Amino acid sequence: MKVRSAIVFLALAAAVSAEELPRKTKAPRESYPNVDVIYGSVTMPDGKRLHSIITKPRAAKEKLPVIFLAGWLSCDSVEAPADTKDATGLILRGLAQTPGFCLFKIDKPGCGDSEGDCSQTDFDTELAGYRAAFRALKNYDFIDSDRVYIFGSSNGGGFAPLVPETESEQAQVRGYITIGGWVKTWFEHMLDIERRRFALMNLAAAWSRVKVPALILHGQYDWIMSREDSELIAQIVNANVPDAARFIEVPEMGHGGQHYLSMADAFAGKEAPFDPKIIRIMTDWLEQRQKKPAK
């Protein structure tokens, strides 16, 4: 009887962890032609529930690989409604409509519809949320959790390899994509507490454990993170597996995928119309990875 009760409890807990959270914003929900959008939640170890948004091709008949987002430093939501003008949001919308792939996003504690206080969220708490979301991938019957591609944007482009914590979780990852990632320059423009966090994160060591393909992108007009950081990430991965990582300096791109016509425009925040070439670079790479047999 106790075993049966435990099974029922676990089943209910799983159901609760995936329920949709109360809406905090009046912004429109995400929607796409021929794509299912699933709003839900992931429960962190401390009990906080994080807002999740999952997309999958509507006509999918089998389990699909998934693009898992490791997000940025700010408290901006990962939600990308149809009327977004934000470059990162437009990239995420492009990924959501990539044939043959699911996309999994969560809002950090206190962001979007997630529970918690973003201003009080430290790195360990943020990472625990991403790890809980990564482990939740196995709960969805349309996601192939053994074919995960982690997309690290900005700050997430540095800590992405810390998300899969165990060796078995690391084996689920088929590749990484980063935009504006980092391994060292945070030392130069953060306060002492950030210096201590950096020492604890040891991102160079984390990337040195990556042995799967990686697409490392840096914008020509990214003045927030240096080209040297992204090149170093690629060098570290290639030291493990020759030619596993590909570095691309994307012309006229800013830190978050924005389109600028000059560095001066980037400093001033004067964006040109969004250039979808960044989405093509990413989706072409993903499609190539799927055509190659896993090693």
Side-chain angles (χ1 to χ4, degrees):
M1 186 66 178
K2 289 183 179 179
V3 173
R4 183 179 177 184
S5 298
I7 293 174
V8 171
F9 174 81
L10 290 172
L12 288 172
V16 169
S17 68
E19 71 179 4
E20 186 175 346
L21 297 178
R23 195 79 171 149
K24 295 180 182 179
T25 176
K26 295 181 180 179
R29 296 173 184 269
E30 290 188 26
S31 62
Y32 309 88
N34 303 314
V35 173
D36 292 329
V37 183
I38 302 151
Y39 280 76
S41 61
V42 171
T43 301
M44 293 179 57
D46 65 1
K48 291 189 188 73
R49 294 177 300 168
L50 304 182
H51 179 220
S52 64
I53 306 173
I54 310 166
T55 58
K56 72 177 185 70
R58 188 164 297 152
K61 304 297 184 184
E62 58 187 3
K63 288 190 174 186
L64 297 176
V66 61
I67 304 165
F68 181 96
L69 175 66
W72 39 84
L73 185 65
S74 77
C75 294
D76 294 334
S77 174
V78 300
E79 196 162 20
D83 62 352
T84 185
K85 300 297 189 295
D86 176 71
T88 304
L90 292 170
I91 291 171
L92 292 173
R93 288 190 64 83
L95 294 177
Q97 298 174 83
T98 302
F101 285 86
C102 299
L103 174 65
F104 194 105
K105 305 181 294 182
I106 61 163
D107 275 320
K108 297 188 298 184
C111 300
D113 294 336
S114 289
E115 297 175 344
D117 183 345
C118 181
S119 67
Q120 299 300 314
T121 298
D122 60 18
F123 176 74
D124 289 339
T125 303
E126 181 179 337
L127 181 60
Y130 284 115
R131 285 175 168 171
F134 186 91
R135 289 165 185 153
L137 294 175
K138 292 184 176 181
N139 297 339
Y140 300 89
D141 58 9
F142 53 86
I143 289 177
D144 185 346
S145 59
D146 288 325
R147 289 190 290 167
V148 183
Y149 292 89
I150 298 182
F151 167 35
S153 177
S154 185
N155 194 41
F159 69 75
L162 293 176
V163 174
E165 186 173 14
T166 66
E167 288 188 9
S168 62
E169 289 171 352
Q170 292 164 11
Q172 294 173 233
V173 180
R174 292 291 184 90
Y176 291 87
I177 299 177
T178 72
I179 295 180
W182 61 287
V183 289
K184 66 180 187 61
T185 53
W186 217 252
F187 268 130
E188 307 305 324
H189 56 263
M190 298 298 284
L191 300 174
D192 287 343
I193 188 170
E194 298 299 339
R195 298 171 188 258
R196 291 196 296 273
R197 286 182 187 177
F198 179 89
L200 291 172
M201 284 190 279
N202 198 354
L203 299 185
W207 279 107
S208 70
R209 294 191 294 270
V210 172
K211 295 179 173 60
V212 293
L215 177 64
I216 312 300
L217 305 174
H218 182 265
Q220 178 186 8
Y221 298 140
D222 181 355
W223 54 270
I224 297 175
M225 295 296 181
S226 73
R227 171 178 173 140
E228 183 183 2
D229 269 281
S230 291
E231 288 180 319
L232 184 55
I233 292 174
Q235 291 169 13
I236 292 171
V237 175
N238 283 332
N240 295 330
V241 181
D243 300 323
R246 182 185 180 192
F247 169 79
I248 298 178
E249 177 91 338
V250 182
E252 298 186 335
M253 189 178 81
H255 178 66
Q258 304 91 340
H259 181 202
Y260 297 114
L261 300 182
S262 68
M263 185 63 82
D265 285 352
F267 274 117
K270 183 181 177 183
E271 291 187 41
F274 179 72
D275 188 341
K277 69 172 178 287
I278 180 60
I279 299 174
R280 292 193 298 271
I281 291 171
M282 297 169 69
T283 56
D284 286 351
W285 183 88
L286 287 165
E287 290 169 1
Q288 290 169 6
R289 301 284 73 73
Q290 286 303 106
K291 291 177 182 177
K292 294 183 177 180
K295 295 182 179 179

